[in-house]
Amino acid sequence: MASDGLYPSRSPNSSRKPPSKGPAVPAFKSIRSLPVQFRFMEPQASQPLEVAEHANDGFSENGILEEDGEATVEVVDQVNDDSPYGRNVQVEERSPGDHLYSVASPLPSTPASLVESKWSDTASYAKKKNLHCWYQLQNGDWELVKILSTSGTDLIVSLPEGKVLKVLADCLLPANPDILDGVDDLMQLSYLNEPSVLYNLQYRYNKNMIYTKAGPVLVAINPFKRVGLYGNDYIESYKHKSIESPHVYAIADTALREMRRDEVNQSIIISGESGAGKTETAKIAMQYLAALGGGSGIEYEILKTNPILEAFGNAKTLRNDNSSRFGKLIEIHFSETGKISGARIQTFLLEKSRVVQCAEGERSYHIFYQLCAGAPPVVREKLNLKSVEEYKYLCGSNCYTISGVDDAEQFLNVMEALDVVHVRKDDQQSAFAMVAAVLWLGNVSFVVTDNENHVEPVVDEALLSVAGLIGCSVEALQLALSTRNMKVGNDNIVQKLTLSQAIDTRDALAKSIYSCLFDWLVEQINKSLSVGKRRTGRSISILDIYGFESFERNSFEQFCINYANERLQQHFNRHLFKLEQEEYIQDGIDWARVEFEDNQDCLNLFEKKPLGLLSLLDEESTFPNATDLTFAHKLTQHLKLNPSFRGERDKAFGVCHYAGQVTYDTTGFLEKNRDLLHLDSIQLLSSCSASLPQIFASSMLTQSEKHIVGPLHKSGGAESQKLSVATKFKGQLFQLMQRLENTTPHFIRCIKPNDIQSPGIYEQALVLHQLRCCGVLEVVRISRSGFPTRMSHQKFARRYGFLLLDDVASQDPLSVSVAILHQFQILPEMYQVGYTKLFFRTGQIGMLEDTRNRTLHGILRVQSCFRGYQARGYLQELKKGISTLQSFIRGEKTRKEFAVLLQRHRAAIVIQKHIKGKITRKRCEKVMEASVVLQAVIRGWLVRKCSGNIGLLNLVERKANESDDVLVKATYLAELQRRVLKAEAGLRQKEEENEILQQRLRQYENRWSEYELKMKSMEEVWQKQMRSLQSSLSLAKKSLDVDDLGRDSDASVTASGGDGKEYSGGDTSSTTTTTMFKSRHHESNSNGAVRSMSASLSIIGRLAEEFEQRRQVFGDDAKFLVEVKSGQAEASLNPDRELRRLKQLFESWKKDYSTRLRETKLILHKLDSEDTTTTATTAEKVVRKKWWGRKNSSRLPDKLTSS
């Protein structure tokens, strides 16, 4: 199966006229796939295509095709009120006697028998010796036998166990060779018959290969065990197409790819009997979509909805341990990037009767058992929970557990899932309280109070628990369960209920509470998964709905479930049989019609008005005195002639469904269809203090206000009538079909291999019955001989036209399409060309799609390289601009910072000068004070010395005996003298140091003043140079932008560059050197610049003069031709031809002028670049000279100072 849109959405009212023929007609010699006798005519004033030989042949106005001498097929549009598809295309037969237009291509006649046409693709099989064939045993199973000998129509065959039989040749069917055992697509079988299909499925099933393709349909056989075909590794493999074997992942991947490619919503329809594995298959498909479209986190929430819906909507039945007792459609929305953006869940017909009663060996809904087994102690005490054996609603079936399932663990999963989908803890506790209230309602008992069998509820633990859980008073609950308020005229009458009426009221209240709780949970999930503003219109819908059911006793629930399956089977037939073959016929494709089992008669039995099953059921439900027996008699009376209806005795009737006949017991049909909940119970819920019962009451009141509309109301229904369950279910089913009709469907047929749900057991009869019911064999037949891929001429040409080597822009889409087919050498037997579409066999479009993808990938690579080149060039220019801007900004910033730093430096020097002066003065004062003290001491000593010597001379004689004392005084005087001399030397040293410091201070001050002068001169020189460079840069840019003014700008740049001698500062030698260098350079280059400038100006002048002359000439000629064409001037010439000739002359001159203009630009740019290079080199040398001159001149004073 190709991954390229097998069944695009199509309308039955497609165009029935052949497309008109374009001017270019391709050669059709090698095309054998055109419609029969389809031919092109030569173009004569846009003549349309013709079919056959007559002008009036082809399709008539009402779309009828006829062939001579045989019954023909008529495609007519009918408006059917009982169909969800609106205008239906129905195939009717006409006799050859009708006067209709004839078509030269006769349609194939209807086969003589269904059996002959069913396997008409099986080649003639010679019953030869030693060949294997299939032989059907008496028990219905097929055995592979070996032909030992042949004798006319009789054959001798041997069974596998060695037994030899003599059989007729017609009793054998050919077997496929061993090399085809276990093929993954039934279309690959050489001999397509029932035993070959059964054997192939069984072969794969025994090897745990449970998925097999049947054309566009995936067949999935329930293994009843875990198989290693799932997980992240398999998801990655199917995502990257490294595995091509059939799988649910492959179907989901195809749907996702087609949604992205075609921008059309997709649907995955999973069908099969109860226990075939539909729910698990839907979960696997959701797992793959969540893995590929994940990333936002909402995919985890979508997956977590499964435990919640299974707990509250699934139950154990005799055929399935996890049977869905409701239908659901999960619509997963995707963003424009292919990621999941949200989801929405729609549910259908919850089986409410299972809440109050279950068959023997079955269970009620899983949540009841999970809550009792896994509730935490706090919740258990709050809800007053008991074991499941103590609740009457659960103990009636004597089944409490499921083998291999832990209800306590499942309850933890449910609580985790509720947290994931953002259900608040308070709401979770309220929901569990409603579940417990339903369980306790089943334990409410009644006691008879009088002789008329009137009852009232017993005030016991059950009644008190219910009142406490829903938040109402015990008295109000007693009145609601035992009485009924009736309004007669203006009076309100309170009627006491009998025991049976009270039990029905109790059960109705329990069913309504649980049903409203289920709807409320679905609403909370939808709020959590809502798309909102992220909605893009792209979605994949997964339909998981209850399978076909047939039990020993079938009630109203099985009636509705099987009706839904009939409608889904019709949708399956419509897309894979009816629309396929009708489209082939309408488009004139050479096609042999395939017969299939149509269930339209059974649908008419259900939906026909006014004598259909649903109409009669609603009509009988409106009669107060009607009973189930009268309903059964009415069905037998009105429908006994219908071939799909079987009348039975008493309250039973039978319906021939597509999957077999089912007998229904009408007991409870009317009551379940009415589904009445009296106003007293609704008022009880609205008066409760708990929030959920109030929400339930409001919801039920809203639904009760919806009156019956449509045919039932028109047929005389009273305005006060309410919608019945069957009518509401039919409306939901029609809406579902309309939604699926707007999507591209992908079908998965689930097969149950045995009824005991045991792995490894393959019952041929059961599997064959399911294959026949779902039409898998006919699907393979159509897929083998049909064209699953189709595309309109326009779309095909638009999608693949760019792959053609020749230019076909002016041709019509059909010619372009045929040219594409010729170029890629697609075999004629692998496609057919219809009136409006091209039809391809399986896999043919894949080659074109691969070539298209490779070509687009190459184009994208070229575009990416070119765009990258452009982006890099733009980035380089942007970087240059940014660098220039940054240099200016950083320069300005540096100058500002330098000015601030210079100011701070000057301030610091001033502060240092004052501080150092103050310190020096203080030190000098101290030295002076010390010098004064020392001088005073020395002077005093000198005075005392002189006076002391005179006294000593006078006393020599008188004190000769005191010689020792004189010697001591002399020693003291010598020491003092030494100290005085040392002090004088120190004083002289300090004075010298002070004088040196003062000299250094004066030198520093002189040097700093010189530095300040130099800094000021350097700053002025830098500012002048910056202004000169900026003016030179602006003039250079102007010279590059304007070609004709470039030389003047260069002259101005040169002139401004000469002003650079003003920026030499105070350095006289540098200024003189720069001026001499510039004058010599100017003299050497002035002659060349003048010559190049004059040559450039002359070239530009000549080009401008030629342009003005030519513009004037062409303008005058064009104006004259316009005047001649409008009649304002007379001339003997054809204005249109002359205008074309003038246009050609103008184009040729324009091309030549553009070439010369480009060459002139290149020459001017070359001259400009040479002048600019020379000027820049000279300027750089001058600047470098001035810079080094200034630098050397600034270094000279430093050297002198340091020396």
Side-chain angles (χ1 to χ4, degrees), residues 309 313-314 324-328 347-350 518 544-546:
L309 296 177
N314 289 21
S324 297
R325 307 318 300 164
F326 71 104
K328 69 171 180 281
T347 59
F348 310 95
L349 191 66
L350 178 69
F518 184 79
D544 174 21
I545 202 166
Y546 15 61

Side-chain angles (χ1 to χ4, degrees), residues 878-916:
L878 189 62
K879 283 184 176 179
K880 290 180 181 178
I882 292 174
S883 299
T884 304
L885 186 60
Q886 286 179 344
S887 65
F888 286 127
I889 294 175
R890 288 171 181 169
E892 183 66 22
K893 183 179 179 181
T894 304
R895 285 189 292 271
K896 290 182 179 180
E897 291 178 353
F898 179 74
V900 173
L901 183 63
L902 186 61
Q903 185 178 2
R904 293 176 61 185
H905 184 65
R906 291 173 180 174
I909 290 175
V910 173
I911 294 173
Q912 288 178 358
K913 180 177 67 173
H914 289 287
I915 293 176
K916 289 178 180 178

Side-chain angles (χ1 to χ4, degrees), residues 327-397:
K328 69 171 180 281
L329 177 71
I330 302 178
E331 189 176 10
I332 303 176
H333 294 270
F334 292 83
S335 64
E336 295 179 354
T337 59
K339 299 299 182 181
I340 296 178
S341 59
R344 178 172 178 78
I345 299 175
Q346 182 181 0
T347 59
F348 310 95
L349 191 66
L350 178 69
E351 186 184 7
K352 295 191 289 186
S353 61
R354 185 170 291 271
V355 176
V356 298
Q357 62 180 8
C358 298
E360 185 71 22
E362 295 186 350
R363 292 205 324 176
S364 186
Y365 291 105
H366 295 325
I367 188 62
F368 294 127
Y369 307 89
Q370 294 172 359
L371 181 63
C372 294
V378 178
V379 177
R380 180 179 297 275
E381 181 179 358
K382 181 179 180 180
L383 303 182
N384 193 22
L385 291 175
K386 306 294 183 180
S387 62
V388 293
E389 294 84 357
E390 298 184 34
Y391 293 109
K392 295 181 180 179
Y393 280 164
L394 305 181
C395 64
S397 63

Side-chain angles (χ1 to χ4, degrees), residues 951-963:
L952 287 175
L953 292 176
N954 295 328
L955 293 176
V956 168
E957 295 178 356
R958 287 182 298 177
K959 296 183 179 179
N961 53 350
E962 298 179 1
S963 59

Side-chain angles (χ1 to χ4, degrees), residues 710-726:
L712 182 60
H713 181 70
K714 296 176 184 177
S715 62
E719 189 175 351
S720 61
Q721 290 175 328
K722 308 299 185 297
L723 288 174
S724 64
V725 173

Side-chain angles (χ1 to χ4, degrees), residues 174-446:
N176 291 283
D178 296 340
I179 195 173
L180 296 180
D181 289 347
V183 293
D184 57 5
D185 194 342
L186 299 180
M187 292 176 58
Q188 300 176 12
L189 296 177
S190 298
Y191 302 106
L192 183 62
N193 47 48
E194 288 182 350
S196 296
V197 172
L198 285 174
Y199 173 76
N200 191 76
L201 294 177
Q202 184 176 9
Y203 183 90
R204 294 178 60 82
Y205 179 74
N206 292 335
K207 294 182 177 297
N208 289 331
M209 295 183 291
I210 61 175
Y211 297 112
T212 307
K213 288 169 59 177
V217 179
L218 179 67
V219 178
I221 302 180
N222 193 345
F224 294 114
K225 65 179 181 180
R226 295 187 179 276
V227 292
L229 298 177
Y230 314 102
N232 295 329
D233 295 338
Y234 278 89
I235 290 175
E236 289 296 324
S237 299
Y238 280 95
K239 175 183 178 182
H240 299 293
K241 295 292 185 180
S242 58
I243 298 180
E244 296 292 341
S245 58
H247 202 286
V248 179
Y249 290 165
I251 295 294
D253 185 77
T254 300
L256 188 61
R257 291 178 184 272
E258 291 185 8
M259 181 200 68
R260 293 173 177 172
R261 185 191 67 195
D262 302 332
E263 296 185 357
V264 176
N265 292 342
Q266 309 289 312
S267 60
I268 300 176
I269 302 175
I270 306 171
S271 58
E273 292 190 4
S274 178
K278 298 183 299 299
T279 301
E280 292 299 322
T281 302
K283 289 160 63 175
I284 294 170
M286 291 170 60
Q287 177 189 8
Y288 185 84
L289 294 177
L292 263 66
S296 61
I298 198 170
E299 69 279 359
Y300 183 65
E301 298 181 26
I302 296 176
L303 294 177
K304 280 300 181 179
T305 60
N306 290 317
I308 302 173
L309 296 177
E310 289 182 10
F312 286 87
N314 289 21
K316 180 185 183 304
T317 63
L318 296 176
R319 295 187 177 183
N320 188 2
D321 289 344
N322 189 30
S323 176
S324 297
R325 307 318 300 164
F326 71 104
K328 69 171 180 281
L329 177 71
I330 302 178
E331 189 176 10
I332 303 176
H333 294 270
F334 292 83
S335 64
E336 295 179 354
T337 59
K339 299 299 182 181
I340 296 178
S341 59
R344 178 172 178 78
I345 299 175
Q346 182 181 0
T347 59
F348 310 95
L349 191 66
L350 178 69
E351 186 184 7
K352 295 191 289 186
S353 61
R354 185 170 291 271
V355 176
V356 298
Q357 62 180 8
C358 298
E360 185 71 22
E362 295 186 350
R363 292 205 324 176
S364 186
Y365 291 105
H366 295 325
I367 188 62
F368 294 127
Y369 307 89
Q370 294 172 359
L371 181 63
C372 294
V378 178
V379 177
R380 180 179 297 275
E381 181 179 358
K382 181 179 180 180
L383 303 182
N384 193 22
L385 291 175
K386 306 294 183 180
S387 62
V388 293
E389 294 84 357
E390 298 184 34
Y391 293 109
K392 295 181 180 179
Y393 280 164
L394 305 181
C395 64
S397 63
N398 294 323
C399 181
Y400 307 111
T401 59
I402 300 176
S403 177
V405 177
D406 186 356
D407 289 325
E409 182 180 354
Q410 294 298 321
F411 181 75
L412 296 178
N413 294 336
V414 172
M415 295 188 65
E416 179 186 356
L418 289 172
D419 293 334
V420 171
V421 298
H422 308 296
V423 178
R424 298 182 306 172
K425 289 293 184 180
D426 296 341
D427 291 338
Q428 294 182 28
Q429 298 301 322
S430 300
F432 296 145
M434 294 300 104
V435 175
V438 171
L439 291 177
W440 280 113
L441 269 175
N443 288 6
V444 173
S445 58
F446 301 91

